[in-house]
Amino acid sequence: MVASLRRTLADLRAPAADCEDLPAALRELGRELQARAGVAVTCRLDRAEPAPPADVREALWYVAREALTNVERHAAAARATLLFQAQPGGWRLQIGDDGSGISATDLHESERYGVVGMRERVAMLGGTFSIRRGAGGGSIVEAWVPSRIAVEASAA
């Protein structure tokens, strides 16, 4: 029981070395899902220059891992997309799938710890987080985290 709890707590943090190169770490998450569940994952991952700070890389890695885990466990999807973009003023991460889609009940369920964790991690960095049904079905998870300059400017 204690070993299981330790493993669970360790899983809440991204392995620091794995997040040094965020696009590579995200691509690896996609490969792992494809190998485990047979979900075809398409990755469109920008090289952000400059790279996001370590706390941003870790939070976005966590969101991607949790969203892809949800695709595997709940979506019954055949395909998923993983998008990471450097944008003016911040970074955008989007995970989409062609599965069954998230229900309105699931969106408002307060005990969905994975969703709560994703939302809180992004909010702690001054970002925004959303989950919605895709236009053609499936679900879309999106996180946007501002650069430090944007966060500092809004706090002033």
Side-chain angles (χ1 to χ4, degrees):
M1 170 115 163
V2 172
S4 175
L5 180 58
R6 283 187 180 141
R7 251 189 328 274
T8 299
L9 291 173
D11 274 352
L12 294 176
R13 292 190 52 92
D18 289 352
C19 287
E20 283 297 315
D21 181 349
L22 183 59
L26 294 172
R27 185 171 284 107
E28 183 59 27
L29 288 173
R31 278 190 210 119
E32 289 170 2
L33 174 64
Q34 199 161 321
R36 251 188 346 265
V39 175
V41 179
T42 301
C43 295
R44 294 186 318 212
L45 309 168
D46 287 353
R47 287 266 168 222
E49 295 296 334
D55 56 347
V56 171
R57 292 191 313 263
E58 184 176 306
L60 293 178
W61 179 90
Y62 175 86
V63 168
R65 186 192 68 176
E66 189 64 35
L68 291 172
T69 297
N70 288 342
V71 168
E72 180 179 2
R73 290 183 182 163
H74 307 295
R79 289 182 298 282
T81 59
L82 183 53
L83 169 75
F84 172 69
Q85 297 175 312
Q87 297 182 326
W91 300 275
R92 176 177 170 235
L93 175 70
Q94 185 181 75
I95 300 92
D97 67 72
D98 67 350
S100 56
I102 192 162
S103 72
T105 303
D106 288 340
L107 281 172
H108 299 291
E109 191 73 36
S110 63
E111 294 183 27
R112 303 287 182 196
Y113 295 114
V115 173
V116 170
M118 289 187 282
R119 190 176 312 281
E120 287 177 350
R121 284 172 188 260
V122 172
M124 284 177 22
L125 296 169
T128 59
F129 176 82
S130 67
I131 301 177
R132 64 187 183 279
R133 288 185 64 84
S139 298
I140 299 171
V141 172
E142 188 165 42
W144 185 84
V145 178
S147 65
R148 291 291 184 241
I149 296 167
V151 172
E152 291 170 3
S154 68

